[in-house]
Structure formats: C-alpha cells, structure tokens
Amino acid sequence: MASPKSSSNSTLPLILDIDDFKGDFSFDALFGSLVNELLPSFQEEGGVSHEGIDGLPNGHGRVPSDVLKGGQGQSTPLFPEVDTLLALFKDSCKELIDLRHQVDARLQNLKEEVAVQDSKHRKTLAQLEKGVDGLFASFARLDTRISSVGQTAAKIGDHLQSADSQRETATRTIELIKYLMEFNSSRGDLMELSSLFLDDSRVAEAASVAQKLRAFAEEDVGRHGINMPSAVGAANASRGLEVAVANLQDYCNELENRLLARFDTASQKRELSTMAECAKILSQFNRGTSAMQHYVTTRPMFIDVEVMNADTKLVLGDQGSQASTDNIKHGLTTFYKEITETVRKEAATIMAVFPSPNDVMSILVNRVLEQRVAAVLEKLLVKPPLGNLPPVEEGGALLYLRNLAVAYEKTKELAKELQTVGCGELDVEGLTESLFLAHKDEYPEYEHASLTQLFDLKKEELLTEAQQQSDLTGTISRSKGAPSSYPQQQISVTIVAEFVRWNEEAITRCTLFSSQPATLASNVTSIFTCLLDQVSKYLIEGLQRAIYSLNEVASLREKYVLGPLVTRRVAAAAASGAEAAAAAGENSFRSFMIAVQRCASSVAILQQYFSNSIARLLLPVDGAHAAACEEMAATVSSIEGTAQNGLILCIETVMAEVERLLSSEQKPTDFRTPDDGNAPDHRPTNACTRVVAYLSRVLEVAFTALEGLNKQSFLTELGNRFQKGLLNHWQKFTFSARMANVFIVAPESLASLFEGTPNIKKDALKFIQLREDFKSAKIASRLGSIMSEA
C-alpha cells in the first residue's frame, strides 16, 4: 500500500491494493499505516500538556477549563492535522469503493466461470453415471457367469469326490475281499495270512480289518440263511463264508487274548500308555467289554484271599458275629473308608487308560458292592430263626437288629461316597438296597420278637428280684390264686421308661429302613402297639397285685368277726388279729395308692412319647394317626378300669376300718345322759379320735397319689359311702346325751378332709350345729321326755 505524502495543504491519491485485505487482515494495522505519518507530530506537540489532562476511564483525556479558556485566546489551532486526516479519509473511502467495485466485478466473473464449469461437471457426471450403470450390468453378468461356473465346478468336485470315495471304497473292498479270501482258504489254517495280521506293530489295523470282515461275513451268512428256501441252497450260497466266519472268529479270539496278555503285562509294570493303547484296540471287540471285565476281575481286592480275610477280621474282629455294635460300627467305618480310597485310586488309572471310563467304573463299583461288601455283610448279618432266638445274654434278636441298622446306615454312606468318586450309570442306591432286601422283608417280625424277648427277660428279672426279697424278709409266698409274676413287686416308672426307650430305639430303626410314608406308618403303628401291650400288661398286673393284697386283707378281716357269745380270751385274740388286719389293710391301701400314682406317671410318659415321636410319623398317612390314638385310648381305658376296681376296694377297706373302730371303741355308757345331773361330757371319745386319725392318714395318701378326675371321683364315692355309713351308725344313738360329744372334734376334721366333697362337708356342718344345740340345751326337754319314756 502506498503512503500519503506529508503535506498539510494537499494530499496525493492513496493507492490501496486488494491483496492488503487478504490473509490475516487487521483494521487497526490498516488504520495505523494510514495515520502514523501524521499523528507523531501531533503527539510531540501535545505531549507537554498531557500532565494537565485528567485521564478518563474510557481512555480519553479531559482538558481543564482554564486551559480551554487560555487556548481560546491563541491563534494556533489545537489539532492542525485534522484537515489532512479528513482528506486522507475521504480519499481512502473512494479507493475502497473502487476496490469494492473491482471485487464485485471479479466475483461476477468467477460466478460465471463457476456456472460454466458446473454445467460441464454435470454433463460429465451424467456420462459417468451411465458408464457406472453399464459397469454394474457387466459385473452382474460376470457374477452370474462366475456363479454358474462355480456351481458347475462344485458339481464336478462332488462327482470327483464321490468317484474318489467310490474308488477308495472299491480299493478297500478289494483289499477286504483279498483278506476274506485268505480266511476262506481252509478251516483252522491261519498261518498263510497277510503280514497285516501277523505284524504286532499293526495290531490296531488288523483288529479293525478283522472286525469288518467278521461283520460282513456274519451278515452275509445270516442274510442268505433267511432268504434261501432250503437248507441246501443256504449251504451252497454261504459255503465259503462259513469257513471265513469260523477262521475270523478264531483269529479275533487269538488277537484278543494276545492283547489282553499284553494289557496284563503293562498293568503289572504300570505302563499306562501301553495299557491305554491295548484298551483302545480292545474296544473294537464287543465294545471293549472283555477288557473292562478282565481289568476289574484281576484287581487284587477281588482275587486275593488274604484281602477278603482281612476285611472280615477288620469288621468282625476276633469275636465274629458276637462283636459289639460299637466295634462293628468302627470296623465298618474303617472298612468302607479303605474301599473308597481303593476305588479312588483305581478311578485315576481307569480315567487314564480306558476310552470309556464310566463303563469301567460302573463294572468296578458293581463288583465291589456285590462281592467285597456283600461277603462281609453275609458274615456280619446272620439272621437268627424267629422260632429259636439266641438268648439275650448272647445278644438275642436285638444284636442282630442293631448290627443290621449300623450296616445299612454305613453302606448307604459308602454308596454316596462311591457316587462322588464316580460309578457311571450304575444305580448304586438300588444295588445297595438289594443287599439288604432279604433282611428288610422280615424286619418288623424281628422287631416284635426283640421287644417281646426284652419284655420277658425283664419279667424274669423282676420275678427273681421279688422272690429274693421275699426270702430275705421271710414273707409267705402267695397262694394259688395270686398273680404268678412279680410277687410283692411294686410298679416302677423307671421300668416303663425303659419300655419306652426300647420302643424308641426300634422306631429309629424303623425310620431308617422304611422310605415310603405308608410303609413307615404301618411299621411304626405295629411297633407302638407292641409298646402299648407291654405297658398295659405291666401296669395292669401291678394293679392286680395291689388289688389282690386288698382282697387278702378283706378275707383276713372277716376271719376276726365274731358273734356275741365268745369267751373273753377268744375276744381278745380276735381283737388283736383285727388290729393286725387293720394295719395290713392300711398298708395295702397305701400300696395301691402308690401303684395308681405310678400308673398315672407311666401313662403320662407314654402319652408324651406318642406326641413327641410317634404322631409326626403317622400324620402324613390318612387314618394312621387316628387309629393309633384309638389304640392308646383303649389301653389307657383298660388301665383305668383296673384302677377303678382297686379304688372301690380301697373305699370298702376304709369304711370297714371305720366301722370296726366305731363298733369296737364305742360303749353304751358313752351315749347315756349322766345320772348325777352333771353337765354332758364334751370331750371326744376314743373312737372319734381314732377314726379321725385313721381318715387323716389314708386321705393324705389319697391326696398325694391321686389327681384330677381320679381324685375327684374317689373322694365323691368315698364321701357318699362315708355319709351313708356314719349316718346309719349315728342314727342308732339319736338324741342320746353323749352322742354330740362323741364327734366333738370329728366334724371339723371331716369338713377339712373332705373339702372337695360338698355332701360330706354339709353333713359335718350339720353335726356341728347339732353339737351346738346340745350345748345350748335347746333339746334338753325333748331328751328328758324321751328318757322318761324309756
């Protein structure tokens, strides 16, 4: 860009170039280039007064007023270059306008050129599109042609492949026919075979070829044998093949034996690679079954007699089948652990050798269970005859059942361990169940026999103990009509609890052996019914012994009932005997009450056992729980019926003793009015004191032994009997002077003793009121009149 000349009067035309506006254009730079030659002189001239000018925030200066005023009086202008700048700016604007016109002209020319080029370009694109369409059409035709050629080539290839396959098949068939002709030469002649069948290094190939020839020959013989109408025609058709089949069978057998021998040699040397190679070749013979069976059969645990004897000794020890259950359990645990470890080691070898390890494991585990485990179980679980069980001292049926349960449980655990190790598709659980099938079929009968055997033994022990006690105390044995078992033996809750423990153990075994709910419920019901029979028999016999004692006392009491005409010595002896009978009666009463109390405790144990252990096993089966409840209710009812009969005898014993005391202790003078006119004697008589003391003792025993409905029923019945008996006795002496004094203490005592029986308490209160009437002499006049009439 050209610069203006420095003149204050005139300016030259500015020369602006279009290139000045290209690139990084800056207006400040353009403006500076225009005015920089003029402004420096102005800045020098005005620089002196800059100190007097206040600066404004926008960058402009504000001149003080006094300067402006002073300046107005001077002739020199403040900004002399302003005219030059204005001229410069006008010339610049003109040139800028000219430049804009030039640019517009150029732009117009460019637009026209662009339009021409665009038109040419569009024509070119149209031509290109036509060319591309033609090219695409060519490509489509080429693709179609290539596809057609490819399909033709594929068909040719398929034909070639088929032809090659047929050629190979024909070649193999020719070779097989050649080999078949070799086996067709003569029966039993295997010496002139090809090297393939004689070379040990080609055993695998020989086995494959032999199997193919054998399959073809057998199929041909079978086909012609079926289709030919006569046996002669069949023989003619397959004459040569029959010889080939026989020779091939002999060769396959010989080859298989040779491979098995090599397999055994490698097995002894633990050469797993050789074993695997032989097993792979042998898999072509009957799917390798012979090799699998041969390997399993040759294991030492199946053929070594010492191993079998060691197994038996490990489980049974030196005692044989009489070993304790704990020793059997420990022995089985060790034995089965050893089996598991052995099978695990064999599994590692089988996995490395056989192409079908699962099949081999199935055969191995099956052999272990059927031979090794079954042999030990056979010696362990010797089933005793039901009709001739061994004595309990030798274990009885219980030892067999316990060993059976331990063996079953441990064998089931072994089956699970073997499944973890691996057993192929073998049903280990089903096979394990089959080992115990014969034992499980008769299991319930043996449980019943065992429980019966234990119960009979307990009866004998109690009988022996009771007889020893009788011999030591010098008691007289029971008479012929007495119960034969447990003489003088009281009921024991501990023994009933022992019955329950036996049954609980049997139920545990029953749960172990019974997998189906219906079978389990049936067996549990049967075993629980056995417990009900045992408890019922034991408790009822115990109550009957106590009842028999009460009957004996009643018979003894009747011996000492004498008529009015007896001597004094006889009366004294009878009184002494009656006292002894009364003491025996009170002891019998106490014994029966204790028996009833222990019966109640025993029944409670039985009911709790049913609720905790039996009910949950019966509820899943419809009707089983209800039937068991009915059985238990019938058992409890029979026990209660026997106890009820004994309680009635107890009441009769009490009433008989009260009657004896009143009859023996009371005197006629006790019921007469004093002749001397003195006041009546209010002290209780000896009869009153003894009756109250006796009732206190027996009722205290009854309150301790009885509870609930039994207690209420007993007291009600006793109250009714006591009320009737005493009233009858007291009515003999109605309105006598001493009558009220006889029971001066008795009514209060009776009222407290029979707190639960309203009738007795009411009568006792009535007698109390009667006594008060005597004290207040309310009926003295009536007594006087009655006595005067007498």
Side-chain angles (χ1 to χ4, degrees):
M1 181 188 66
S3 298
K5 294 180 179 180
S6 57
S7 175
S8 59
N9 297 323
S10 63
T11 61
L12 295 176
L14 295 176
I15 300 175
L16 297 177
D17 194 357
I18 294 177
D19 294 336
D20 294 338
F21 297 91
K22 296 180 180 180
D24 296 333
F25 174 75
S26 174
F27 179 80
D28 293 337
L30 178 63
F31 184 79
S33 64
L34 292 175
V35 299
N36 280 342
E37 295 181 359
L38 299 176
L39 292 180
S41 60
F42 172 76
Q43 292 175 352
E44 292 176 358
E45 294 175 357
V48 179
S49 62
H50 284 174
E51 295 180 356
I53 300 174
D54 295 334
L56 297 178
N58 56 4
H60 300 281
R62 187 177 56 187
V63 180
S65 58
D66 54 350
V67 176
L68 293 175
K69 291 178 181 181
Q72 292 175 357
Q74 297 177 359
S75 61
T76 304
L78 181 63
F79 191 23
E81 285 80 6
V82 65
D83 295 333
T84 305
L85 289 174
L86 287 175
L88 179 63
F89 290 157
K90 289 179 181 180
D91 293 339
S92 298
C93 288
K94 290 179 181 181
E95 290 197 9
L96 287 175
I97 292 171
D98 293 339
L99 290 176
R100 186 185 68 180
H101 290 317
Q102 293 178 8
V103 170
D104 290 341
R106 292 182 181 182
L107 182 60
Q108 184 63 32
N109 293 333
L110 287 176
K111 286 182 179 180
E112 292 176 357
E113 291 179 1
V114 168
V116 173
Q117 294 297 329
D118 182 67
S119 176
K120 293 180 180 180
H121 180 67
R122 289 181 183 275
K123 291 179 180 180
T124 303
L125 285 179
Q127 293 175 358
L128 289 176
E129 286 179 356
K130 291 179 181 180
V132 170
D133 292 339
L135 184 60
F136 278 139
S138 299
F139 280 142
R141 290 191 301 271
L142 180 60
D143 184 67
T144 303
R145 181 60 179 170
I146 292 174
S147 177
S148 176
V149 172
Q151 292 178 359
T152 303
K155 291 179 181 180
I156 294 173
D158 292 340
H159 288 300
L160 291 176
Q161 185 176 5
S162 176
D164 185 67
S165 177
Q166 292 176 2
R167 183 185 61 80
E168 292 180 359
T169 303
T171 303
R172 288 197 302 267
T173 303
I174 292 172
E175 292 178 356
L176 292 176
I177 292 174
K178 182 179 69 172
Y179 294 143
L180 184 61
M181 294 304 294
E182 293 179 4
F183 284 100
N184 193 30
S185 59
S186 60
R187 178 67 181 270
D189 185 10
L190 302 178
M191 300 302 297
E192 309 215 352
L193 297 176
S194 300
S195 60
L196 171 64
F197 302 103
L198 302 177
D199 189 358
D200 289 342
S201 62
R202 302 175 66 186
V203 173
E205 185 181 357
S208 177
V209 171
Q211 288 298 316
K212 292 178 181 178
L213 293 176
R214 182 180 173 185
F216 173 76
E218 290 178 349
E219 181 182 358
D220 184 77
V221 170
R223 182 173 63 252
H224 285 85
I226 294 175
N227 296 332
M228 295 304 293
S230 64
V232 176
N236 292 331
S238 58
R239 183 181 305 164
L241 294 183
E242 287 181 350
V243 176
V245 168
N247 288 335
L248 283 169
Q249 181 65 47
D250 294 340
Y251 174 77
C252 289
N253 292 337
E254 188 271 334
L255 180 60
E256 187 174 5
N257 292 332
R258 195 171 3 137
L259 288 171
L260 288 175
R262 185 186 299 179
F263 183 86
D264 287 340
T265 303
S267 177
Q268 294 174 1
K269 297 180 180 179
R270 297 294 299 172
E271 296 177 355
L272 298 183
S273 59
T274 305
M275 293 173 63
E277 180 182 357
C278 294
K280 183 177 180 181
I281 299 173
L282 286 169
S283 64
Q284 301 179 26
F285 298 95
N286 298 325
R287 298 182 180 178
T289 304
S290 60
M292 299 176 190
Q293 294 285 0
H294 182 76
Y295 176 78
V296 172
T297 305
T298 55
R299 294 305 89 201
M301 61 178 167
F302 300 131
I303 59 177
D304 193 345
V305 179
E306 295 182 359
V307 173
M308 302 178 186
N309 295 334
D311 293 343
T312 304
K313 187 174 182 180
L314 178 62
V315 176
L316 300 179
D318 298 329
Q319 299 178 355
S321 59
Q322 298 299 322
S324 65
T325 304
D326 292 337
N327 293 336
I328 294 294
K329 184 176 182 179
H330 177 72
L332 282 175
T333 302
T334 306
F335 173 54
Y336 287 159
K337 183 178 180 181
E338 179 183 343
I339 286 180
T340 303
E341 293 299 325
T342 303
V343 173
R344 184 174 283 110
K345 292 179 181 178
E346 292 292 344
T349 303
I350 290 171
M351 293 294 178
V353 170
F354 289 93
S356 300
N358 289 335
D359 296 338
V360 186
M361 289 300 299
S362 177
I363 297 173
L364 176 65
V365 173
N366 183 79
R367 188 68 177 270
V368 166
L369 292 176
E370 288 188 345
Q371 179 175 332
R372 195 173 179 188
V373 174
V376 173
L377 293 179
E378 183 179 0
K379 296 179 181 179
L380 171 63
L381 303 177
V382 180
K383 188 186 299 183
L386 287 171
N388 186 21
L389 293 174
V392 179
E393 292 77 9
E394 298 179 3
L398 182 60
L399 179 61
Y400 162 72
L401 290 171
R402 286 176 174 174
N403 290 343
L404 177 61
V406 169
Y408 183 79
E409 184 178 6
K410 290 299 177 182
T411 307
K412 295 283 284 185
E413 293 177 0
L414 172 65
K416 293 180 180 178
E417 290 292 334
L418 293 179
Q419 280 184 327
T420 303
V421 175
C423 57
E425 297 180 356
L426 179 67
D427 184 9
V428 182
E429 293 185 358
L431 183 57
T432 303
E433 290 292 333
S434 66
L435 297 177
F436 296 91
L437 189 60
H439 299 278
K440 292 173 66 176
D441 289 341
E442 296 181 348
Y443 159 73
E445 288 79 2
Y446 278 93
E447 280 291 5
H448 278 279
S450 174
L451 293 174
T452 302
Q453 191 178 34
L454 292 173
F455 182 71
D456 293 340
L457 177 64
K458 179 59 66 175
K459 287 175 61 177
E460 293 177 1
E461 291 178 355
L462 295 176
L463 179 60
T464 302
E465 181 181 351
Q467 290 175 348
Q468 291 176 353
Q469 291 178 359
S470 298
D471 295 339
L472 291 175
T473 57
T475 56
I476 301 174
S477 62
R478 295 183 180 273
S479 63
K480 184 176 180 181
S484 59
S485 60
Y486 323 141
Q488 306 297 330
Q489 188 73 31
Q490 184 59 273
I491 293 175
S492 174
V493 179
T494 304
I495 294 177
V496 175
E498 188 173 2
F499 294 163
V500 173
R501 285 196 300 273
W502 297 343
N503 200 265
E504 189 173 11
E505 181 182 348
I507 292 296
T508 302
R509 287 191 292 269
C510 181
T511 305
L512 178 64
F513 293 135
S514 305
S515 57
Q516 299 299 325
T519 305
L520 176 62
S522 176
N523 292 337
V524 167
T525 301
S526 177
I527 295 173
F528 181 67
T529 302
C530 185
L531 173 64
L532 294 178
D533 294 339
Q534 292 177 351
V535 173
S536 174
K537 185 181 296 185
Y538 175 73
L539 295 182
I540 289 177
E541 287 183 357
L543 291 173
Q544 287 176 347
R545 291 192 301 272
I547 290 174
Y548 179 79
S549 178
L550 292 172
N551 288 329
E552 277 189 337
V553 170
S555 300
L556 185 63
R557 189 168 54 244
E558 292 177 357
K559 293 181 181 179
Y560 300 106
V561 177
L562 303 177
L565 301 176
V566 293
T567 61
R568 181 173 298 177
R569 180 179 298 176
V570 174
S576 177
E579 286 291 340
E586 187 171 349
N587 290 334
S588 298
F589 179 91
R590 182 177 290 103
S591 297
F592 185 82
M593 287 299 173
I594 293 175
V596 172
Q597 182 182 19
R598 293 181 179 179
C599 279
S601 300
S602 300
V603 171
I605 292 175
L606 183 64
Q607 292 173 338
Q608 184 179 8
Y609 169 64
F610 177 80
S611 300
N612 295 341
S613 302
I614 303 299
R616 61 182 178 84
L617 302 176
L618 301 180
L619 286 174
V621 180
D622 294 339
H625 184 267
C629 289
E630 292 179 1
E631 289 285 343
M632 187 169 62
T635 300
V636 174
S637 178
S638 63
I639 298 172
E640 289 180 346
T642 305
Q644 186 68 25
N645 296 333
L647 291 176
I648 293 175
L649 289 178
C650 287
I651 293 173
E652 293 177 355
T653 300
V654 171
M655 294 308 303
E657 178 62 15
V658 170
E659 182 66 26
R660 186 191 70 81
L661 290 174
L662 293 177
S663 300
S664 62
E665 295 294 334
Q666 288 178 343
K667 302 177 182 179
T669 56
D670 294 337
F671 302 97
R672 295 178 182 175
T673 304
D675 297 334
D676 53 5
N678 294 329
D681 188 0
H682 295 288
R683 291 175 301 172
T685 62
N686 188 37
C688 174
T689 303
R690 292 192 62 182
V691 168
V692 172
Y694 174 73
L695 290 174
S696 299
R697 292 194 302 273
V698 296
L699 291 178
E700 182 179 0
V701 174
F703 288 167
T704 304
L706 302 178
E707 58 184 11
L709 296 177
N710 292 331
K711 178 179 179 181
Q712 182 178 355
S713 175
F714 174 77
L715 292 180
T716 301
E717 183 65 22
L718 179 61
N720 294 333
R721 296 283 189 92
F722 192 76
Q723 177 185 3
K724 183 184 293 186
L726 289 186
L727 287 178
N728 290 337
H729 186 80
W730 289 337
Q731 285 175 359
K732 299 177 183 179
F733 311 100
T734 304
F735 303 120
S736 61
R738 191 73 186 277
M739 184 268 181
N741 300 329
V742 174
F743 290 96
I744 191 170
V745 178
E748 292 91 337
S749 301
L750 294 178
S752 62
L753 290 176
F754 294 100
E755 189 67 30
T757 55
N759 293 335
I760 295 296
K761 183 175 181 181
K762 179 179 179 182
D763 292 333
L765 295 176
K766 181 175 70 175
F767 289 123
I768 293 175
Q769 184 62 40
L770 181 61
R771 184 189 65 192
E772 295 299 327
D773 291 341
F774 272 107
K775 289 182 179 179
S776 60
K778 290 182 180 179
I779 56 174
S781 59
R782 185 176 179 185
L783 282 175
S785 60
I786 293 176
M787 292 303 293
S788 61
E789 293 176 358

